[in-house]
C-alpha cells in the first residue's frame, strides 16, 4: 500500500495535461493538492483506529493486505464493509471521498467481462485480472469515465450529427485501437493515476465501435483534462476550518485519437454487453452512494442540530420533526445499502453483485431528497449563512468587535464558536464546493433520477405483483 | 401445531362477550369467520410450498417445530424470516395478517422483563417462560392490547379526571390484581384466544398502578369486546373474489374489574420499565410493519400495473414513473426491516431485538406514504373504481350487457376480467375494510407518525453527528 | 325559480330508467331522495341570509331574477360570486353541491358555439339560446355527460375495436341524429332533469360522427342510467347528523340509439371545435373546483381542529403546522379561482371565460393534495375513526355505558359530543360517500391530474419565459 | 423622479461607512455599482414600453407622478400593479429587484401609526407624512431594517443576557432618542439612501425601549454597514451575459449609539403596536414576494425549458410534467397575490392593506418550493452546470475547440449558445449570488417558514370552520 506522499509523487511525474483557469497546470498546483485531500486521506487513515480496519482488505488474488479501495467484493460482508467505510470517510472529509470511482469501475468490469469471454472466447477477464494485479500492487487511484456528451438526446450514438458525441473507436490496429470522444463530469480525473472507461448506455448491433471499455493512464497522449474547480470560501488563517479547505476538480476529459493497447481493453465491439457494463458500474456506484449520501446527511444533520443548539431552539417541535426527517432520509438510504448487500448475488467471476433494486431505491431516495435536506438546514440555520460578515470583517480592528458581538447567540457559547457554526452553514449552503458536490452531484452523480426509475423498472419483478392482484381479483387469465 | 379447524373449535368454546351491530354474538358468527380468514391461513399454509418453510420455526425452549407466529427471535435470521413470512402472507391475504400482534407482544415482554427481575428480584421472566410454553404448545392466537383511551392528552395518567382512561390496578389481592380500563384499536381481539396487555407509555414514579402487563383469556370475566366490523363490498356469487371476502373486526376492549392471577403478570408497579415495555412491543410491531407494508404495497402496485395494462397506458412516461415510486416505497421499507435485523442486538434474555432506528425509519416511511400510494392507484385507475356498476347490474338481464360492453378496455381482455380489475380497485380505494385496515391503520397501526419521530429522536446518536459538524467547523469545545 | 318540491315533483314524472342494486327504481326512491339533498338545497336556500344573495343572479337574456346555477357568466364578478356561492354551499352540504355540472356545461357551450356559427353559418348558438331560456325559466337541473369509456387509451376514437367506446352519431335524419355510446362518471344523472353532452377530447377530421354535443331529457328513450350509490354509514336515529345523510348516485349513462332532435344540437361534425368544447367545459368545471375544493377543505380542517380541541392537543407544534398546511391548500386553491376571475376574458358571445392557467393550477393543486388532506385529518384524529363502536353499541343497554365512558376525552366535553366528533371523522375517512366523492372524485373530477398538466402545457406562454432565459444568458438567436 | 445618475451621485456624497472584504469602501466601488444595478433599473426603466406605465403612480399626497416604488397603496389596483411591476422587473433583472424593501416599510408604517396617534395623541402619522413627502420628492431608495440578532431564541428581548441583541433606546433626549443594536440580513443597505427601522416582533409592556421605529440616513453617525457580497461567476468579456453581472450586498447594520431626531420617529414605546408594525411590514413584503417569486420562477422555468430544448428532451413526459410543476408553483403564488389584492381592506389612514391569509399562503408556497424548483432545474439541466469548463477554457487556444465541440448538443444550436445556456444554469445553480439571493433568501426573506405558519394561525378564522364541522356532526354546544 502506498502512502499519500507516494501517491502525490506519482502525480508529479505525469505529463502536464490538466487545463484550469486558462493555464496548463502541473499536478503539484495548490488547487490540485487541495482537491486531492480526500484521496490522500484514503492512504493516510489506513491505520486510523476510528476506521477500525475498514480501509483494508485481503486481496482474493494475492492474499495480500490491500487498500479496500482496490478490492473486488467477494461477499455480502465486503459490500457492507465498503458501505460503512465510505460513510465514515465522508464524515471525516466532510464531503465526497472520490476514490470509489475507480474501484466501482473495477468491480463493474469484474462482474461482467467473464461472461463476454464465455460467449465469444475473448480474453477480457484475463486482461482485467492482469490489470487488477497492478491496480492492487500499485494502490492505484483511478477516475471513472462513463458519461458521454450525448449530443441530441433523441438520437442513438450512431445517429448523431457529430459522431464523437459518444466516445468510439476510430481506428483498429493489431496492437490496439484508437478512440475519440469525450467523457464529462469526470470527478477527480485531474488527481487520478489512470482513467477507466465504460460505455454510457446500451448499444445496438450497428454500434460496435461504441461498445468499448478500457483503462489508460490519465496523462496518455491525446488526453486533455479540461478542469473546473469548485472550492469553498477562503478564510483568513485564524478562522480556517476543515470545511473551508474542501475542493473539487471536475474534468471534461477529451480523448483526441488516443491509442489503447490490446491488453488494456475489457470490451471491444460485443455490443450486447455494453449496456450491462454501463449498468453494472452504475450499480456499484449507486451502492457506494448508500454509504456516502448518509455520510453527507450526517454532516447536514449535525450542522442543523448544532445551530439549533446555539440558537436555543433545539426543543421546538418543528425543529425536532425536521431533524427526525433528516435522520430518516440518511438511515433509509443506508438501510437500502445494507439490504443490497444482504440480497447480493455472485457473478460468474465470483464477484459479489449488489441487489439492483435495493441499491437503486436507496440512491433514488438520496437523490430525491438532497435539495430537501439543504432546505431543512437553511430553514433551521436562519438567514445568517447568507449574510454573515466574513473573516476579514471578523478580524477587522474597527468593526470586528461588532461582528463578534452580533453573531453570538445563547449564553455560554463563545463568539468564535458561533461564527464558526454559522460559517460552516454558509459553506454548506452556498460554498461552491458544497453546491456542486452535494447538490448537483447529489442529483446526478451515479445516475440522474430518471435513470434510476429506468433501472428499477427494467429489473423489478412487477409481473409477480400483477399476479397477486389478479389472484385477489379472481382473474384467471 | 394446530389446524385452522382446531383454532375455530377453540373460539367456539369461549364465553360470548363480543358485541357487534347491537348483538352479543358467538364466535361462529359468519362475520367472525370471515374476519378470521387471515388467522386461519397462518395455520393452513404451514406446509404450503410457496411459504418455503417460513411459517415454522424451532422453539428455543423445547426444540420442537412450532408455528413461527409463536417463536421468540433468537437471531438476525429469525427477524428476517419473520419479515419475509409477513410480506408473503400479506400478499396471499391481500391485507393484514393480524397474527403478528400476539407474537410481537411476546417478543417485547421476553426482551424486557428479565431486566426487571434482575433489578427487583421478581419472577416475571419465569412467568413469561411458563406462559410461552403454553403459548407455543397450544399454538395460541393473541391480540395485543396496548393503546389506552388517554382522555386529556395533555395530562399524565395519574392526572386524568377519569382515572380509568389508562388501564390500571384497582385492587391488589394475594393471588393477583384486579384491573380496570379500556384498550382501544384492538385488531382481531374478537378472534383471539387471549389478550396480552402492556402499558401504552412511560409512567412516573407515582403511577405504579398503571405499570402493569399481563396475559388473559379474551373471554375472561369482566372483559367486553365491543367490536366494529369493516368488510369490503358484497358481491353476487359469480363475481366473488378473494378481495371481496376481506374483513376486519376491531375491538374497544373494556376491562371492567378483571382479575389477573399472579402467574399471568409480567410487570406490576416497576414504573421505570413501563416505557421500555411500551416501546419494545412497538419496536417489534414496527419491524413487522416492514414486512406487511411492502406486502400491501405489492397489492397496490400490482393492481396499478394491472389497470395500466388493461387500459393500455403501461408505457406512458408518467405511469412508469409512478410505478417506480410505488416500488421504491415498498422496497425502502423492506430494506429498513432487513437492516434492522442485520443491526439487531441481544437482550439479556437472549431475545433478538431489532435495531430501533432502522425499524422506526422504515415504519415511518410506510406511514408517511400510505395515502400517497392510494393516491397513485386512484390516479392510474381513473374514475371507474368510484362509479363502476356493481354485481347486480353486471348480472342484470336488461342492462348487464351494457355494463359488460362499457367496462371493457383494450382488445383481448374479457369484459369480466376488466370488471374484476376495476372492482378490485374499487374495493381497495373505497371498500370499508381497505380504507380502515390500509389507510387508517396504515397511518396509526404500530404507532402514529409523531410517535416514530419521538422514538427516533429518543434513540438516535445525534451527538456524534454534532461532533462531526464541530470538527468540520473547527470548534473545539 | 322552482322550489325543491317542484323539482322533486318533476323527477317523479320521469320515465323509470334508473338501475340500482339490481332494480329499476323510480325517482322517489329513498336513495334518490337522499342523494338529491344537495340539489334541493340549491332551491331551498335561495333566500337564506347566510347565502347573502349569492344563489341568485339576473339573467342577461331576460333580465329576470334567476337561480345562479342557471346563469351565464357575464363578468369577473359573476365568476367570483359563483366561486363563493359554491364554497358556501359545500360547507352547508358537507360535500359536493353537484348542480355545477349543468351550468358549467352551459357556460362551456355558450362560450364556444358562436364561433362555430361564425365559421360555418350554423345556428348552434341560437339553439343554445333557445335552450338557455327554457333552462332558466324551468330552473333546470342538468347532469354533465362528458367522459367516454375510451376503450384502448392508445387508440383514437375512430381506431377503437368497439366503435361505441366513444359516443357517436350512428344515423342522420332530417329532424335530428341518433347517437350510441356511453358516458361514465355521471354525477347526479339519476337526479337530473336533463343531460348535456359534449365530446371528451379533440377529434380528427375523420371523426365527424364523434364531434357531437346536445341536451336531452334524462329519461329519453334509449337512455339507461346504471347507477352506483355511495352513502355514509347508517346510524340509529338519536345519533344521526347531517354528515350521515350524505349520499351520491353516480351513473354509467348508456345511449342506446337515442334520437336527438336538431334544435337540441350544439355541435355536429365540426371536428376542430370538439376539443375546444371539451376543454371549455373542463375549464368552467375546474373553476367550480376552486370553490368546492376549499369548501371540502373547510370541512376537513374544521374536523381536524375540532378533534384536536377535544383531545386537547390543539397547541402542539406539529398540530398547528398541519392545520396551517390544510389552510394553505384550501386558500391557495381559492386564490387561484379569484385570479382566474380577475384575469378572465370575454368570448365572442359575451360569455366570461376564466383564465385557463389560474383555473388549472388551482384545480391541480387541489387534486394533488386531496389525499394528503385526508392523511392529515387521519393523523390528528388518531385511530378511533377506524375502530369507534357504532350507534347500536352506543345505545346498547349493557355496553353503551362503556362506549360513552371511553370515547370521552378532555373534561368539559360530553360523551355524545366526543362520539359525534369521532363519528364525523369516521364518515369522512371511511364512509363510502366521502371516500368516493372526496377522494376519488377529488383526484379525477373535472379532469385527472395528467389532464391538467396537458391543459397547462397547451396554454402557457412558455416561449416568453425561454426568451427571458435567453436574454439573461446573452443568447441572441 | 430621479435618474439613475442622480441616484448614484447621491450615494457618492455619503459618509464612508461600508465595510467589505476588510476595507472601508466608498459607494462608487465597482462592487457597489454592480450590486446597485437592479435599483438603477427602477429609475432607468420608468419609460420603458415593456413596463407599460407600471413603474409610475400618482401620489395621493401631492397628485404628482412618482415612481411606484415610493407610492402608498390606495386601492386593490395599486396592489395588483405593484405585484405585476415586481414580477416584470425581476424578469428583467434576472433576480431580486431590491427596492421593494423601502416602500414595503413605508406602507407598513402608513397603515399602522395613525391608530397609535388615535389612541395616544402622538403625532407619528404626521411625522410619517412629512417623511413621505421627502421620500416621494427625492425618489428615495431605502433599506428595510427589521431583523434583530435575537440572541437566545427562547428569551424575550428584555430577558437577553446581552441587551443589545434587540435594537433599543439607550438614551432619551428632548430632541430625540439614542439607539443601540444591530439589524441583520439588510439587503441593499450599502446602496440605500436611508434605512427604515421597525421592531422584529411583539413586545411586552416592560419592553418600551424596544418598541421603536424610525427612518435615518444610511450614513448617519454611529451606523456601520458590515457587508457581505455575493456575485455570480466572473467571465471573460466575450462571454459575459446579464446573469453574470448579478450581485448582492447584504449588510449587518450596527447602530452604535445612533441619535434619532424626534421628527423621524414613527413609534416610541407604545409596546402593543410593536407587533402590529412588525407584522404589517412583513405583510407588505410577503405581498411583494407574490410578485418577485413568480418572476424568479419565470427565470427558472425559462432556463429549464431552454435546456430541455437544446438537449432535445422537451417532449419527454417527465420533462413536461416537471415544467407543469414549475408553472404551477409560480402561478399559484401569483394568484395568491392577486387574491390578496382583491380581498384587501383599508387602514384608518386610507392605506390599502393586503389580505393577510392570501399574502401568507402565497409567500409560504413560494418558500416551501424554492429548493424544489432548483432541484427541477438541476434535474433537467443534467450534470454540466456543475462541471462545464469556464470562459478561459472556452477561449483557450489549445483546448477551446474541444470545449466548443463537446458542449454542443442538438443540431442547429451553436456551440456558443449551448455554452451560454449551460453557463446560465451554472450561475443559477451554483453562482454565489443565485444561491444566496434565490435559495437562502427564498426561504427566509420576508419571513421564515415558521413565521408564516404563525401569521396564518394567528389570523385565520378557524372557529367558523370548527362550527361547520360541529354542524355536520350534529354537535350543538
Amino acid at each position: 500500500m502506498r502512502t499519500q506522499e507516494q501517491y502525490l509523487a506519482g502525480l508529479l511525474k505525469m505529463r502536464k495535461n490538466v487545463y484550469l483557469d486558462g493555464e496548463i497546470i502541473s499536478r503539484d498546483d495548490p488547487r490540485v493538492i487541495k482537491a486531492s485531500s480526500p484521496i490522500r486521506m484514503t492512504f493516510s487513515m489506513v491505520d486510523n483506529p476510528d476506521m477500525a480496519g475498514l480501509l483494508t482488505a485481503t486481496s482474493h488474488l494475492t492474499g495480500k493486505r490491500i487498500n479496500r479501495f482496490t478490492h473486488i467484493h467477494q461477499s455480502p460482508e465486503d459490500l457492507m464493509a465498503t458501505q460503512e467505510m465510505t460513510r465514515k470517510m465522508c464524515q471525516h472529509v466532510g464531503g465526497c471521498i472520490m476514490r470509489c470511482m475507480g474501484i466501482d469501475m473495477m468491480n463493474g468490469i469484474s462482474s461482467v467481462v467473464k461472461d463476454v469471454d464465455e460467449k465469444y472466447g475473448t480474453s477480457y477477464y484475463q486482461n482485467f485480472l492482469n490489470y487488477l494485479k497492478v491496480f492492487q500492487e500499485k494502490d492505484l487511484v483511478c477516475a471513472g469515465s462513463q458519461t458521454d456528451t450525448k449530443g441530441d438526446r433523441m438520437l442513438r450514438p450512431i445517429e448523431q450529427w457529430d459522431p464523437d458525441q459518444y466516445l468510439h473507436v476510430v481506428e483498429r490496429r493489431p496492437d490496439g485501437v484508437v478512440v475519440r470522444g469525450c467523457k464529462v463530469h469526470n470527478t477527480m480525473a485531474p488527481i487520478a493515476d489512470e482513467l477507466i472507461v465504460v460505455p454510457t448506455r446500451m448499444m445496438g448491433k450497428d454500434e460496435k465501435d461504441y461498445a468499448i471499455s478500457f483503462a489508460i493512464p490519465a496523462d496518455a497522449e491525446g488526453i486533455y483534462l479540461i478542469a473546473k474547480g469548485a472550492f469553498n470560501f477562503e478564510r483568513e488563517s485564524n478562522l480556517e476550518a476543515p470545511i473551508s479547505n474542501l475542493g473539487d476538480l471536475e474534468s471534461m476529459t477529451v480523448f483526441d485519437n488516443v491509442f489503447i493497447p490490446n491488453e488494456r481493453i475489457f470490451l471491444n465491439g460485443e455490443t450486447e454487453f455494453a449496456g450491462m457494463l454501463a449498468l453494472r458500474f452504475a450499480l456499484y456506484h449507486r451502492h457506494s452512494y448508500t454509504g456516502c449520501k448518509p455520510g453527507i446527511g450526517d454532516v447536514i444533520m449535525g450542522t442543523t442540530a448544532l445551530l439549533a443548539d446555539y440558537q436555543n431552539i433545539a426543543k421546538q417541535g418543528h425543529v425536532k420533526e425536521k431533524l427526525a426527517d433528516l435522520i430518516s432520509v440518511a438511515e433509509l438510504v443506508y438501510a437500502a445499502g445494507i439490504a443490497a448487500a444482504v440480497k447480493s448475488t455472485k457473478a460468474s467471476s465470483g464477484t459479489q453483485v449488489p441487489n439492483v433494486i435495493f441499491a437503486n431505491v436507496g440512491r433514488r431516495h438520496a437523490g430525491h431528497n438532497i435539495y430537501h435536506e439543504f432546505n431543512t438546514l437553511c430553514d433551521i440555520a436562519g438567514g445568517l449563512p447568507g449574510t454573515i460578515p466574513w473573516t476579514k470583517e471578523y478580524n477587522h480592528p474597527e468593526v470586528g468587535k461588532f461582528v463578534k458581538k452580533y453573531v453570538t447567540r445563547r449564553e455560554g457559547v463563545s463568539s468564535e464558536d458561533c461564527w464558526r457554526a454559522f460559517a460552516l452553514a454558509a459553506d454548506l449552503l452556498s460554498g461552491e464546493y458544497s453546491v456542486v458536490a452535494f447538490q448537483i452531484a447529489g442529483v446526478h452523480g451515479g445516475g440522474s433520477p430518471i435513470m434510476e426509475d429506468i433501472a428499477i423498472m427494467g429489473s423489478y419483478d412487477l409481473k409477480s405483483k400483477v399476479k397477486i392482484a389478479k389472484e385477489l381479483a379472481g382473474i384467471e387469465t
Side-chain angles (χ1 to χ4, degrees), chain A residues 133-428:
Chain A
K133 207 169 289 180
V134 177
F135 185 79
Q136 292 184 339
E137 267 167 26
K138 293 200 177 167
D139 208 357
L140 287 181
V141 172
C142 291
S145 299
Q146 174 172 45
T147 307
D148 289 290
T149 52
K150 298 199 191 88
D152 185 324
R153 300 291 295 260
M154 297 304 286
L155 303 178
R156 290 170 47 219
I158 199 87
E159 298 168 340
Q160 295 292 328
W161 61 280
D162 172 0
D164 304 338
Q165 293 289 328
Y166 289 81
L167 183 142
H168 60 129
V169 174
V170 291
E171 188 187 342
R172 299 185 177 276
R173 299 188 197 162
D175 54 345
V177 299
V178 175
V179 299
R180 187 157 65 225
C182 173
K183 295 287 189 176
V184 282
H185 319 324
N186 267 211
T187 303
M188 49 80 66
I191 52 175
D193 299 304
E194 305 221 349
L195 310 177
I196 307 178
V197 170
V198 295
T200 206
R201 51 162 285 162
M202 286 170 44
M203 296 293 166
K205 285 192 177 173
D206 51 354
E207 293 169 324
K208 281 177 98 74
D209 290 339
Y210 293 84
I212 182 80
S213 169
F214 55 86
I216 196 83
D219 61 347
E221 207 57 46
I223 292 180
Y224 298 80
L225 302 177
I226 310 175
K228 176 132 192 276
F231 299 94
N232 279 343
F233 298 118
E234 292 202 0
R235 304 183 180 193
E236 295 201 327
S237 59
N238 63 320
L239 292 168
E240 274 188 358
I243 190 73
S244 60
N245 287 316
L246 281 172
D248 178 38
L249 285 179
E250 298 280 338
S251 158
M252 173 181 268
T253 303
V254 175
F255 294 78
D256 189 38
N257 300 319
V258 176
F259 174 71
I260 316 295
N262 283 334
E263 64 272 21
R264 285 300 198 91
I265 294 177
F266 311 128
L267 192 78
N268 187 358
E270 297 77 9
T271 52
E272 78 273 34
F273 286 96
M276 192 185 297
L277 204 46
L279 281 172
R280 205 50 75 75
F281 161 64
L283 174 57
Y284 281 101
H285 204 44
R286 286 170 200 174
H287 189 258
S288 284
Y289 265 84
T290 67
C292 73
K293 286 298 144 201
I296 305 305
D298 292 335
V299 173
I300 296 173
M301 77 175 74
T303 307
T304 304
L306 176 65
L307 282 167
D309 176 32
Y310 281 9
Q311 298 178 92
N312 205 12
I313 54 171
K315 283 175 185 161
Q316 295 299 100
H318 73 105
V319 175
K320 286 191 287 183
E321 196 175 342
K322 281 161 189 163
L323 281 167
D325 211 50
L326 291 176
I327 293 167
S328 293
V329 171
E331 299 305 340
L332 276 173
V333 173
Y334 199 69
I338 292 174
V342 171
K343 300 293 184 186
S344 59
T345 51
K346 270 206 177 310
S348 63
S349 58
T351 305
Q352 198 74 15
V353 183
N355 179 282
V356 176
I357 297 302
F358 288 122
N360 270 282
V361 298
R363 171 65 186 91
R364 185 182 187 271
H365 196 62
H368 281 217
N369 281 282
I370 185 70
Y371 270 89
H372 177 65
E373 292 175 277
F374 278 97
N375 196 349
T376 301
L377 168 57
C378 180
D379 183 356
I380 303 305
L384 209 56
T387 65
I388 186 170
W390 211 239
T391 59
K392 287 182 180 165
E393 276 65 45
Y394 186 97
N395 290 327
H396 192 279
E398 193 178 4
V399 297
K401 65 178 181 290
F402 295 131
V403 175
K404 292 180 188 91
K405 178 180 175 72
Y406 289 118
V407 300
T408 309
R409 293 292 174 265
R410 73 167 168 76
E411 206 166 0
V413 182
S414 72
S415 295
E416 184 175 325
D417 284 356
C418 281
W419 187 91
R420 284 182 175 280
F422 283 115
L424 170 63
D427 268 323
L428 287 174

Side-chain angles (χ1 to χ4, degrees), chain A residues 6-122:
Chain A
Q6 290 170 315
Y7 155 66
L8 285 176
L11 289 188
L12 252 182
K13 288 185 200 138
M14 294 173 75
R15 185 174 73 88
K16 280 171 68 170
N17 64 335
V18 177
Y19 297 78
L20 182 63
D21 294 342
E23 309 158 30
I24 311 185
I25 60 173
S26 80
R27 285 173 171 82
D28 59 353
D29 183 281
R31 291 163 293 184
V32 173
I33 300 299
K34 197 170 188 177
S36 71
S37 162
I39 301 291
R40 284 182 281 123
M41 290 166 79
T42 66
F43 294 104
S44 65
M45 293 187 70
V46 157
D47 296 317
N48 188 301
D50 188 50
M51 292 309 298
L54 286 168
L55 262 168
T56 54
T58 302
S59 169
H60 74 293
L61 272 191
T62 63
K64 290 187 189 159
R65 189 173 172 244
I66 54 174
N67 193 300
R68 186 173 290 281
F69 279 109
T70 67
H71 181 59
I72 298 301
H73 301 290
Q74 301 299 313
S75 67
E77 288 68 32
D78 272 346
L79 287 163
M80 274 193 274
T82 296
Q83 193 196 7
E84 190 181 350
M85 167 190 75
T86 304
R87 182 172 190 169
K88 282 205 154 189
M89 288 303 290
C90 288
Q91 293 173 347
H92 282 287
V93 167
C96 174
I97 187 60
M98 295 177 175
R99 201 173 166 189
C100 56
M101 302 301 292
I103 189 58
D104 291 342
M105 275 287 177
M106 293 297 279
N107 273 286
I109 294 166
S110 177
S111 72
V112 168
V113 300
K114 193 152 191 284
D115 292 351
V116 187
D117 291 353
E118 279 167 16
K119 180 159 179 189
Y120 287 102
T122 45

